[in-house]
Amino acid sequence: MCSRTKPHRSRTGRPRSTEADTAILEATRAALVELGWSKLTMGDVAGRAGVAKTTLYRRWANKNELVVDAVAVLFDELELPDLGSLQADIEHVVLQFAALLERPETKTALMAVVAESTRDEPLRERIRASIVDRQKRLVLAGRERAQQRGELPHHFDPVAVDATDDLIFDVVAGAVVHRALVSAEPVDAPWATRLSALLMGGLGAAATAGG
Amino acid sequence: MCSRTKPHRSRTGRPRSTEADTAILEATRAALVELGWSKLTMGDVAGRAGVAKTTLYRRWANKNELVVDAVAVLFDELELPDLGSLQADIEHVVLQFAALLERPETKTALMAVVAESTRDEPLRERIRASIVDRQKRLVLAGRERAQQRGELPHHFDPVAVDATDDLIFDVVAGAVVHRALVSAEPVDAPWATRLSALLMGGLGAAATAGG
Amino acid sequence: MCSRTKPHRSRTGRPRSTEADTAILEATRAALVELGWSKLTMGDVAGRAGVAKTTLYRRWANKNELVVDAVAVLFDELELPDLGSLQADIEHVVLQFAALLERPETKTALMAVVAESTRDEPLRERIRASIVDRQKRLVLAGRERAQQRGELPHHFDPVAVDATDDLIFDVVAGAVVHRALVSAEPVDAPWATRLSALLMGGLGAAATAGG
Amino acid sequence: MCSRTKPHRSRTGRPRSTEADTAILEATRAALVELGWSKLTMGDVAGRAGVAKTTLYRRWANKNELVVDAVAVLFDELELPDLGSLQADIEHVVLQFAALLERPETKTALMAVVAESTRDEPLRERIRASIVDRQKRLVLAGRERAQQRGELPHHFDPVAVDATDDLIFDVVAGAVVHRALVSAEPVDAPWATRLSALLMGGLGAAATAGG
DNA sequence: AATTAAACGAGACGGTACGTCGAGTCTTGAT
DNA sequence: ATCAAGACTCGACGTACCGTCTCGTTTAATT
């Protein structure tokens, strides 16, 4: 994924500083931690990064796109180790995602850019590509692994499979976000267990009925 | 619920105009529809309401508090008619909530104020009192009705009951919000059916195991 | 001189508080001393006087008229004791006027209201009636006394006499104001002596030539 | 003379627009003519100059400093042609100064900034440097020329000479301003003749007595 | 080594909204 | 009718940030 506004494959002229890139993204995260999304300013980020404002705008069209890219990289840490059972995998991913949401830079930024994206189609697309897809692949991987283990039946209707993947994704991610940010309650191991148990029951019932 | 910042039990002086109150809240909703949360300005709202900017600031400390109050009243429409079964009740409330989220004034505002609330404790409290509690009572009502119908067992451990209420609330509300705003997919009847079926299965399995 | 906006000879209703009148004027002078003309506010004056803003506006049309009236009364102290010679009389009045101008309430207010009066005919009239005429009568008195002493000839052309009175008035008042406020130099006894000597010389030459 | 607040010896960054400088000063004078000092607003001036408000504030700290600079340039027109006699020179400068004071931009602005300067030392210094000194040099030039002509004696006490220069300056400038703005009477040729005759008489008497 | 062209820092620019403040008016209930 | 209190409209304030635009100055790849 290229963080720049344009690919810029020009062969001549001074090349862009890659140190500037990383310094800006780090400065953005630091500013998010200290100030939160709404108090973060481009001038402040530039100052922290030791860079001119122009250098920011040469790379990102506006504050929201910068913030998305600054936060997106954090989602790379999400992974799905094989813990032996679907329920264990779900619990693990729930706690991982919750830990990410507890970090001040994501807590303040994620909802804000999503809110902005309701009126900004390019931003929504960037969020989807940078963040949402990174999470969604965990659902796919977990489901496939569960099928291989025999915990879930091998469906032959790909549409139904996709629909269930989507549903599980919205339920898991939505529930964690809602618990963490709206209800403002801790997403801890007991809660993760209760959530995954609920899902396991629901999936089991569906498998029994529809399988 | 008092929309004002202070209780204002002053006996002397000119009383505050209640027409101004309602005109401002209506203007705020109109501005949300037209402009969205981030483009909405206090000056514009004042203009639409035919009111001076100072009159806004006399009542609300900032844009977020105003928006919360303007949107909160919409959540009064949420209700829980008895449709005969828990699954039907869940489906109905999901679609109702989704319809609310589809309205442009809530779609653009809700995530934004939640995002702001991560750095603003009074705002979080205001959201909880004005919006979240309004939704949560539906969960309680639905669960109690299901118990009366015999669809759910009468638990004698109130802590466990509360925990399950909270879980269901976060799952339902979170899933709907995530589907609508993050995945940007429609929350339609088939999806609502799939979600409620998942929950029924999960609750049934829990009842079988724990009852 | 009536300080009120309207004569108000109505016989019915609650009569206006005369204590309020004096309290307001005193508060205005106090505010002028502390804040100066441009920082003085009607609300502040009302607060100092223990009076509602309405009460101010019932008596004066605006800030400038209030300030003129508050300052005008100070000009009542100007008087012209007979010191035996025209030059001594002039010196005395110069120093008296300078002392008045040194007071912070007049220093900051006088030029300000004159400046405002260049675009406000009623204000100019009020200043003329309240302040300028109070000063001008000193010139007339001094000139008449000098004529009685024989220091100045008895002219029979009233137009020429008026013109000279006006000239002397503008020269004396203008020079003192300019020295005090523009040049920001002290108007002390030596300077007063030099000014009066200049005038005596000029009047004497005119008398010799024109007499 | 530099009209800016700071010397700005910065070598880097975009240089300030000199067109903006002149456009702002012109717009200020135009606004003074139309609105007068008290109705003049920074936003209006910015609009007239086709410039953002911030551009004004980058150069001038407040309205008064801006107005002083805008008006100061008009005082460059004052000059002292040799008319052959001291009295003629005085009459000429009086009428010149009066003509300047009659212009609406100076009439409304001059007293106002002087009034403000009684509470604002930097403003007073700015007025002195920009306006007062421009006028005062005319007095020096006129006195020196009169000495060369033999109309005034060559004094060897520089302190006395300075004191007389100052006195004459305060008398002439003060009388003109007072006549024009306080008495609100025309400063025409007859009045200028009477004033200069008075001064000639006074100076002559002093020369006779002190020489 | 000289040329070239883009990237760079600095900071001024036009614009828009902010939240505050003061002027002067109006609306209460009480005196 | 006046008073104190305080809400009202209006409009300006001075600040902050946005995103853009010059400037003069690097800096690497290409000649």
Side-chain angles (χ1 to χ4, degrees), chain B residues 13-15 40-43 53-54 57 63:
Chain B
R14 177 173 171 177
L40 175 149
T41 72
M42 299 297 263
K53 234 189 336 170
T54 36
Y57 283 107
K63 176 169 145 175

Side-chain angles (χ1 to χ4, degrees), chain A residues 7-208:
Chain A
H8 267 301
R9 287 283 145 262
S10 75
R11 215 158 292 282
T12 162
R14 177 176 173 177
R16 288 195 181 159
S17 158
T18 53
E19 291 123 39
D21 274 294
T22 62
I24 291 167
L25 291 173
E26 272 174 29
T28 305
R29 284 187 290 270
L32 281 173
V33 171
E34 272 183 43
L35 308 169
W37 177 81
S38 62
K39 298 257 169 70
L40 175 149
T41 72
M42 296 301 261
D44 180 80
V45 170
R48 284 168 194 261
V51 141
K53 253 200 309 176
T54 335
T55 304
L56 267 69
Y57 282 105
R58 210 171 279 120
R59 290 161 163 76
W60 291 277
N62 53 52
K63 175 170 149 173
N64 286 318
E65 307 226 332
L66 168 61
V67 168
V68 169
D69 277 11
V71 167
V73 62
L74 299 176
F75 284 74
D76 281 333
E77 355 181 306
L78 292 178
E79 47 185 32
L80 195 68
D82 189 340
L83 297 177
S85 74
L86 178 55
Q87 174 153 4
D89 286 0
I90 293 177
E91 282 185 42
H92 183 257
V93 85
V94 161
L95 291 172
Q96 247 191 343
F97 185 39
L100 202 57
L101 269 186
E102 277 306 307
R103 297 177 61 153
E105 55 267 50
T106 48
K107 178 180 243 165
T108 188
L110 207 57
M111 289 293 94
V113 294
V114 167
E116 293 294 300
S117 77
T118 61
R119 293 223 147 211
D120 182 344
E121 179 53 35
L123 180 62
R124 174 156 49 233
E125 175 53 27
R126 196 183 198 96
I127 293 173
R128 201 194 52 67
S130 304
I131 298 182
V132 176
D133 284 355
R134 266 187 177 77
Q135 303 173 260
K136 206 161 188 176
R137 63 179 161 75
L138 299 184
V139 175
L140 272 69
R143 190 255 303 154
E144 284 172 359
R145 194 181 288 162
Q147 286 175 323
Q148 285 164 0
R149 284 197 206 100
E151 292 178 285
L152 291 179
H154 283 268
H155 247 293
F156 296 100
D157 178 2
V159 174
V161 172
D162 276 6
T164 304
D165 284 351
D166 287 354
L167 177 64
I168 296 300
F169 173 52
D170 285 327
V171 167
V172 171
V176 171
V177 169
H178 200 269
R179 169 98 177 164
L181 301 187
V182 180
S183 299
E185 301 280 350
V187 177
D188 48 18
W191 188 85
T193 303
R194 284 203 302 278
L195 173 61
S196 55
L198 182 76
L199 293 179
M200 292 306 294
L203 289 171
T208 308

Side-chain angles (χ1 to χ4, degrees), chain C:
Chain C
M1 186 224 41
C2 174
S3 67
R4 278 78 173 264
T5 309
K6 298 176 186 175
H8 268 300
R9 289 280 147 262
S10 73
R11 217 160 290 281
T12 163
R14 177 173 170 176
R16 286 193 183 163
S17 157
T18 53
E19 293 121 41
D21 275 292
T22 61
I24 291 167
L25 291 173
E26 272 175 29
T28 305
R29 285 187 289 271
L32 281 173
V33 171
E34 272 183 43
L35 308 169
W37 177 83
S38 62
K39 298 257 168 71
L40 174 148
T41 71
M42 296 299 261
D44 181 79
V45 169
R48 283 168 196 263
V51 142
K53 257 201 303 178
T54 333
T55 304
L56 267 70
Y57 283 105
R58 209 171 279 121
R59 289 160 164 78
W60 292 276
N62 53 52
K63 177 169 149 175
N64 286 318
E65 308 225 331
L66 168 60
V67 168
V68 169
D69 276 12
V71 167
V73 62
L74 299 175
F75 283 74
D76 281 333
E77 359 181 304
L78 291 178
E79 48 187 30
L80 194 68
D82 190 339
L83 298 176
S85 74
L86 178 55
Q87 175 152 4
D89 286 358
I90 293 178
E91 283 185 41
H92 184 255
V93 86
V94 162
L95 290 172
Q96 247 190 343
F97 185 39
L100 202 54
L101 268 186
E102 278 305 308
R103 296 177 61 154
E105 56 267 48
T106 48
K107 177 181 243 164
T108 187
L110 207 57
M111 289 293 95
V113 294
V114 167
E116 293 294 300
S117 78
T118 61
R119 294 223 145 211
D120 181 345
E121 178 54 34
L123 181 62
R124 172 156 50 233
E125 176 51 30
R126 195 181 199 95
I127 292 172
R128 199 195 52 66
S130 305
I131 298 181
V132 176
D133 282 356
R134 266 186 177 76
Q135 302 174 260
K136 205 161 188 175
R137 63 180 162 74
L138 299 184
V139 175
L140 272 70
R143 188 253 304 153
E144 283 172 0
R145 194 181 289 162
Q147 285 176 323
Q148 285 164 1
R149 284 197 205 101
E151 292 178 285
L152 290 180
H154 283 268
H155 246 294
F156 296 100
D157 178 0
V159 175
V161 171
D162 276 4
T164 304
D165 284 351
D166 287 353
L167 177 63
I168 297 299
F169 173 53
D170 284 327
V171 167
V172 171
V176 171
V177 169
H178 200 269
R179 170 96 176 165
L181 300 187
V182 180
S183 299
E185 302 279 351
V187 178
D188 50 16
W191 188 84
T193 303
R194 284 204 301 278
L195 173 61
S196 56
L198 183 76
L199 292 180
M200 291 306 295
L203 288 171
T208 308

Side-chain angles (χ1 to χ4, degrees), chain B residues 148-162:
Chain B
Q148 286 164 359
R149 283 197 206 100
E151 292 178 284
L152 291 178
H154 283 267
H155 248 294
F156 295 100
D157 179 1
V159 174
V161 172
D162 276 6

Side-chain angles (χ1 to χ4, degrees), chain D residues 9-211:
Chain D
R9 290 282 143 260
S10 128
R11 200 163 306 283
T12 80
R14 178 173 172 176
R16 290 197 179 161
S17 158
T18 53
E19 292 121 42
D21 274 292
T22 61
I24 291 167
L25 292 173
E26 273 175 29
T28 304
R29 285 187 289 271
L32 280 174
V33 171
E34 271 183 44
L35 308 169
W37 177 83
S38 62
K39 298 250 169 75
L40 175 148
T41 71
M42 298 297 263
D44 181 81
V45 170
R48 285 168 195 262
V51 141
K53 231 185 344 165
T54 37
T55 301
L56 265 73
Y57 283 108
R58 205 172 284 121
R59 290 162 162 75
W60 291 278
N62 53 55
K63 177 168 143 174
N64 288 316
E65 309 225 331
L66 168 60
V67 166
V68 169
D69 278 11
V71 168
V73 63
L74 300 175
F75 284 73
D76 281 331
E77 330 179 331
L78 293 178
E79 48 186 29
L80 194 68
D82 190 340
L83 298 177
S85 75
L86 179 55
Q87 174 153 3
D89 285 359
I90 292 177
E91 282 186 40
H92 182 255
V93 86
V94 161
L95 291 171
Q96 242 188 348
F97 184 41
L100 201 55
L101 270 186
E102 276 306 308
R103 295 176 62 154
E105 55 267 50
T106 48
K107 175 182 242 161
T108 186
L110 211 56
M111 288 287 92
V113 295
V114 167
E116 295 293 302
S117 78
T118 61
R119 295 222 141 216
D120 182 345
E121 178 54 33
L123 180 62
R124 173 156 49 233
E125 175 53 27
R126 197 183 198 97
I127 293 172
R128 199 195 52 68
S130 304
I131 297 183
V132 176
D133 283 356
R134 268 186 175 75
Q135 302 174 259
K136 204 160 189 175
R137 61 178 164 76
L138 299 185
V139 175
L140 272 70
R143 188 253 304 152
E144 283 172 359
R145 193 181 289 163
Q147 285 176 323
Q148 285 164 359
R149 284 198 205 97
E151 292 178 284
L152 290 179
H154 284 267
H155 248 295
F156 295 100
D157 179 1
V159 174
V161 171
D162 276 6
T164 305
D165 283 351
D166 287 354
L167 177 64
I168 297 299
F169 173 52
D170 285 326
V171 167
V172 171
V176 171
V177 169
H178 200 269
R179 169 94 175 167
L181 302 187
V182 180
S183 300
E185 301 280 351
V187 178
D188 48 18
W191 188 86
T193 303
R194 283 203 301 278
L195 173 61
S196 55
L198 182 76
L199 292 179
M200 291 304 296
L203 288 171
T208 309

